[in-house]
Amino acid sequence: MNLLPKSTKEFGSAQYWERFFQQRGEKAFEWYGTYLELCGVLHKYIKPRDKVLVVGCGNSELSEQMYDVGYEDLMNIDISEVAINQMRERNADRRPKMSYLLMDMLQMDFKDAQFQVVLDKGTLDAVLTDEEETTLERVDKMFGEIARVLQVGGRYLCFSLAQAHVVKKAVAYFSQEGWMVRIHRVASSEVGEARGQFILPVFVYVMTKFKKIPGSALRILEICADEQDKPVRVESAEQLAEAVRERQDYALLRNQLNKNPSAGHVSLDLYDKDSRKPRYTLHVVDSPSVKPSQDNRFAIFIIPQGRETEWLFGMEEGRKQLAASAGFRRLITVALHRDQHYEGMESIQAELSGKVMELAPPGLPAHQQVPFLSVGGDIGVRTVQHRDTSTMSGEYVIEDVKGDEMCYFRRLIFLSNRNVVQSEARLLSRVPTKGQKKRKKDKKKPVSVSAEASPVSAARTIDKSYLCCEHHKAMVAGLSLLRNPDTLPEAQLAVLVIGLGGGSLPVFIHDYFSQSHVEVVEIDPSMLEVATCWFDFSQGDRMCVHISDGLDYIAKLAAEAPARYDAVMFDVDSKDPTLGMSCPPQAFVEKSFLQKVRTILTPEGVFVLNLVCRDSLLKDSVLAVLKEVFPLLYARRIEGEVNEILFCKLRSEGKLVTSEILESARTLERTLKKPGQAWDSSYVLSDMLKAVRIV
């Protein structure tokens, strides 16, 4: 028996509903939930003594169940004579005070201001099936009649699936009439979703009638994202619609996870209710290869603060590896956002438990204990030391985070790309020099840290012997491709670095190649301030920074002088997020510009390029251009990252086989290690070049 209409327009037809209820018989038809599923919202907005008009009542049991709990002043209307007769006969003796009338809600016979509540469960959705002119005219009549029969202060409660065109029309009409508009998520509709009745969540529009004030532009628009939430005021109808759409997208995501647990990468942000800023980022990772058991179906992994950028947590492949090694069929990783306060693991667990259980795999028992995991059992430490805005790079933060083995790291993060660490340095606890006593704790009120009162000169110092970034380690190792690596540390090397960041790369070269002269070109003056104040960078006789566009600076050098640099290094990011290459900007790998780079290199020099390119076709074209300009090209892929370091030489005759490259690297490392100067024992130059290949 097919009860669906041939077209949605039939939903507004009395003939369709006559046939519908004749074929269905006396079995109740419940749109969008039963009384038990909706009673939380109904009791919130309807008082037992209110006069209530139910429009489009059909043969729903909702009015009967409301009557039985004390709502006796109920008037029900419908355009189906079959439905009205059924309901009159069913309730004549048991509910004598309740009325059923055959009436068209577009033209009602009631007096003005007769009711305090108009209740609509799915009727508006049945009428407003499209945005054709005739449909919108019918809806205007419906809204006009509802407004007429409601008292000032009365409410129109409309349960709806909140399709975009329905929200648009309802909000526009009633807000323009000066009514308060609130859209309330019906939390109990989760029951309907679980039964597979519908995927989209149910909302109730709560339209409160205010006396219209001529000339007033005041509009009150509110959203309750969940049944127990407090209303949140929004500024526009667009924001209200967006809030509804977010809940619908979330419901679709849950449905996707339930129907296809291995659907691929799924992520979402959870926002702080007060600040409306992201508080948690969740990634759902399914591992079908893990053999299921009662105890390994589901777990939550809290990523320690500041470590969300690490490959294991920040990349999809890393999270897959984490889930597989943890041994759970479904793992949700949770990243904690900066500028949010967290009490500890227990408070996070209490805050997240309800939400993450909504993302549990299908069939998980409702009361099963789900483990919360982390590294070392804590939530990590993140301290934002400074924030500012660069005219070129936008808003940025300097933050200190705790890594493995109680080491602390200082990071520069551009908030336009908050999951990428722009620069990083390891911090050392400050050790008093000989004869210097430790200062007693200052009992005065502590001074807040700022750029003028840098922590570099306070509790901790930068460990300049430690290169945090793998690509920096590879770039330095590439200097072993120069001639005579055994004499390089004492040679008067001329090095040009494009891109300063925190300054770790040029500082390392300056300190370990003791006779080198390092020039750095940085387009953003804010970065020089950041490097100086927060990463202990300083200029001197052998180190200078030019505030200039690298393109212009190299073009100027190529035009006015012969070859002068033993090494030119590009470590500069692109500000254009639309390209598939985030480092360097595309202009830096154009053939005409690369020929200028070639001009300023000495005959035995090396050009080192940090290439970050996700577009395989674009990457191939970059490599092709590089090979046209530089006859000899080595490439070294950074494991677990997109970075690939390219070492470009002017002469193909000097090609080295892998064993020769590794021996040169070992020789250079031996000469760099000097008595009394710290060296990171984990940094092995030859290891950085083992995977080098000739392009």
Side-chain angles (χ1 to χ4, degrees), residues 76-140:
N76 301 272
I77 66 171
D78 201 281
I79 56 173
S80 169
E81 186 175 1
V82 172
I84 291 297
N85 289 337
Q86 285 179 3
M87 299 308 287
R88 282 175 178 168
E89 183 178 344
R90 199 160 80 192
N91 291 286
D93 297 327
R94 297 178 59 188
R95 302 174 181 92
K97 296 181 183 179
M98 187 160 62
S99 301
Y100 286 89
L101 294 178
L102 179 65
M103 189 180 296
D104 186 349
M105 64 183 173
L106 274 61
Q107 192 174 357
M108 295 187 282
D109 299 332
F110 303 117
K111 297 177 183 178
D112 294 356
Q114 185 171 335
F115 298 98
Q116 288 150 324
V117 175
V118 173
L119 181 57
D120 169 352
K121 186 157 76 83
T123 303
L124 176 61
D125 284 3
V127 175
L128 187 46
T129 55
D130 54 53
E131 294 184 276
E132 293 184 7
E133 186 176 351
T134 54
T135 302
L136 296 178
E137 288 175 356
R138 286 171 54 81
V139 173
D140 283 338

Side-chain angles (χ1 to χ4, degrees), residues 143-186:
F143 287 165
E145 281 292 271
I146 289 171
R148 183 182 65 80
V149 302
L150 263 180
Q151 299 176 5
V152 172
R155 292 185 175 118
Y156 170 40
L157 266 60
C158 175
F159 289 91
S160 167
L161 289 183
Q163 291 174 280
H165 71 283
V166 179
V167 173
K168 177 184 174 183
K169 178 62 178 176
V171 172
Y173 184 95
F174 289 104
S175 62
Q176 287 170 8
E177 291 297 312
W179 294 33
M180 186 181 84
V181 175
R182 178 183 296 171
I183 300 183
H184 202 125
R185 168 78 161 87
V186 181

Side-chain angles (χ1 to χ4, degrees), residues 430-434 436-438:
R430 197 178 190 196
V431 180
T433 57
K434 189 174 182 181
Q436 178 186 6
K437 295 182 179 179
K438 289 185 179 180

